[in-house]
Amino acid sequence: MMSETKSILAAASFAVAGLLLANADVAPATAAEADPPAAVAGNSPLSVQLDYLIWNVSGDKLPALVSTGLLGAPGTQILYGNSTVNDDWRSGGQITARWLFDPSHNAGAEISFFDLGDASSRFSTDSSAHPNLDLPFIDATSGLPVAFLAGVPGAISGGVTVSDTSRFLGLRALYRRALGAMGKEHFSALIGYRFLYENDQLDISTSALQLSGPVAGTFVAQRSSFGATNSFHGLDVGIGGDIAEGPWRIAWRAQLALGASINDARIDGVTTGTFAGTTMTFAGGSFALPTNIGARSQAQFAVVPEFSLTAGYEFMPSWQLIAGFDVIYWTGVQRAGKLIDTTLNPNLIPPGNGLGGPQRPAARFDTGALLAEGFTLGVKHAF
């Protein structure tokens, strides 16, 4: 049912854009609009632009995941989490193609695609570096802080590895029509389709070997994964302006996309235990138990305002160097860190004791806004 909803939303965006374009009133160009500098994208019918991107994207905020003791206890140090990751500057690329399809250069189309690639954060430690090594959580039956133990001096030897990977990309297809001029500045209306995609993958792996006591030699390994994927489909409208002076061209555009954010969440966990030569596997791991394991999806209304400012210099006929700044703000985005519920029912921890209690951790969506901003440096060629 959800896949049908996604298809309907995407198709609706295309249909609305098509109806608006089909009914657009394309008036004859004025003298100012027909002048070559007033063209939608210069005075050549086809151009291609390649950009190198240096952008900053909102990071994934994580709860406290690894510590040296119980949260709130004197001397406890949070080793990983309780912070935001993958919010550093990252590189990417963008390609844009523009085509003017009327002789007066008043109407045209453009399509662009950008990809920032992966940003990643990784943490790994073991009990040789931190003899007390915990994955802290709150006991849902008592409300008290407790922990999965990955290191206890003289009793448990183990390790923890956490990785978080993020990717952000987008596609845009626009119809652009000249509106007129005010002095040397020329204005254009924009309408089309906007697609954005963001994905987070958070993985937590632990191992623990019992060194003493009646269960000495018991080895337990846990793995939990949290995946959050967001897709935006929407109708994109806006206005742009440009000023040409000799070899220089300054351009700006302000746009607003209205549509749907489709949030997909995937949570999985597994525990493997070996005791007296017998190995057993159970569903569930740290922070991923039967109460929240599975795949879930939802769709919600979202808005994406954008603004860009660029400067171009024609360093030889048909070739321009381009530099600019872009801002994108996207509402209704689910991040992997916010899928984690750090309140757990210990009775559900594998293998489980059958004593019941609250259904925690809970399966949930907790969406927020994503801000992406940064610089572009590229080259444009007109054919």
Side-chain angles (χ1 to χ4, degrees), residues 8 31 60 75 78 80 102 135 140 162 198 201 204 235 266 304 320 357 367:
I8 291 171
D60 190 9
I78 296 175
Y80 188 77
D102 76 325
L135 277 74
V162 185
E198 196 280 335
Q201 182 62 46
I204 307 170
L235 177 67
R266 306 168 307 283
V304 180
Q320 287 187 58
T367 60

Side-chain angles (χ1 to χ4, degrees), residues 36-42 98 100 105-109 176-178 188 242 249:
V40 170
R98 299 180 179 90
L100 305 177
H105 294 173
N106 289 317
R176 185 168 179 170
R177 185 178 186 279
S188 300
D242 68 90
R249 178 181 294 271

Side-chain angles (χ1 to χ4, degrees), residues 51 60 79 84-85 102 117 149 187 191 196 198 217 248 274 282 287 295 298 305 317-318 322 326 336 343 353 364-365:
D51 294 308
D60 190 9
L79 300 177
T84 300
V85 299
D102 76 325
L149 303 178
F187 299 92
I191 187 169
L196 293 173
E198 196 280 335
W248 291 95
T274 301
F282 306 92
F287 307 110
Q298 70 171 11
S318 301
I322 306 290
D326 297 87
T343 299
N353 57 26
R364 64 182 185 180
F365 284 103

Side-chain angles (χ1 to χ4, degrees), residues 11-234:
S13 297
F14 278 116
V16 172
L19 288 171
L20 290 171
L21 296 180
N23 290 281
D25 180 17
V26 182
T30 65
E33 291 174 282
D35 189 46
V40 170
N43 56 7
S44 298
L46 177 65
S47 65
V48 175
Q49 182 174 327
L50 299 176
D51 294 308
Y52 171 67
L53 309 180
I54 307 175
W55 282 19
N56 175 269
V57 181
S58 300
D60 190 9
K61 184 170 179 54
L62 306 180
L65 296 177
V66 186
S67 68
T68 60
L70 300 182
L71 294 182
T76 292
Q77 178 186 1
I78 296 175
L79 300 177
Y80 188 77
N82 196 33
S83 61
T84 300
V85 299
N86 297 334
D87 57 348
D88 296 328
W89 292 86
R90 61 177 96 169
S91 298
Q94 178 172 254
I95 182 170
T96 303
R98 299 180 179 90
W99 174 47
L100 305 177
F101 46 70
D102 76 325
S104 61
H105 294 173
N106 289 317
E110 94 174 38
I111 184 168
S112 64
F113 171 79
F114 77 86
D115 186 355
L116 290 182
D118 292 342
S120 62
S121 173
R122 179 180 173 85
F123 172 83
S124 184
T125 191
D126 58 34
S127 55
S128 64
H130 299 92
N132 289 297
L133 189 59
D134 296 350
L135 277 74
F137 64 92
I138 300 299
D139 184 335
T141 63
S142 67
L144 298 176
V146 290
F148 295 99
L149 303 178
V152 177
I156 298 176
S157 173
V160 180
T161 298
V162 185
S163 65
D164 192 314
T165 303
S166 174
R167 190 172 192 183
F168 182 48
L169 57 86
L171 172 74
R172 175 164 50 209
L174 289 174
Y175 170 83
R176 185 168 179 170
R177 185 178 186 279
L179 294 177
M182 182 180 295
K184 293 185 177 182
E185 186 170 7
H186 299 84
F187 299 92
S188 300
L190 312 166
I191 187 169
Y193 166 73
R194 188 56 158 144
F195 169 77
L196 293 173
Y197 173 89
E198 196 280 335
N199 178 74
D200 291 328
Q201 182 62 46
L202 174 63
D203 297 303
I204 307 170
S205 298
T206 66
S207 62
L209 175 64
Q210 190 76 29
L211 301 176
S212 61
V215 292
T218 298
F219 178 79
V220 177
Q222 294 183 320
R223 180 186 58 81
S224 300
S225 65
F226 301 84
T229 300
N230 303 276
S231 301
F232 174 82
H233 302 270

Side-chain angles (χ1 to χ4, degrees), residues 264-282:
D264 294 299
R266 306 168 307 283
I267 301 176
D268 191 21
V270 63
T271 296
T272 302
T274 301
F275 176 68
T278 301
T279 299
M280 296 172 287
T281 300
F282 306 92

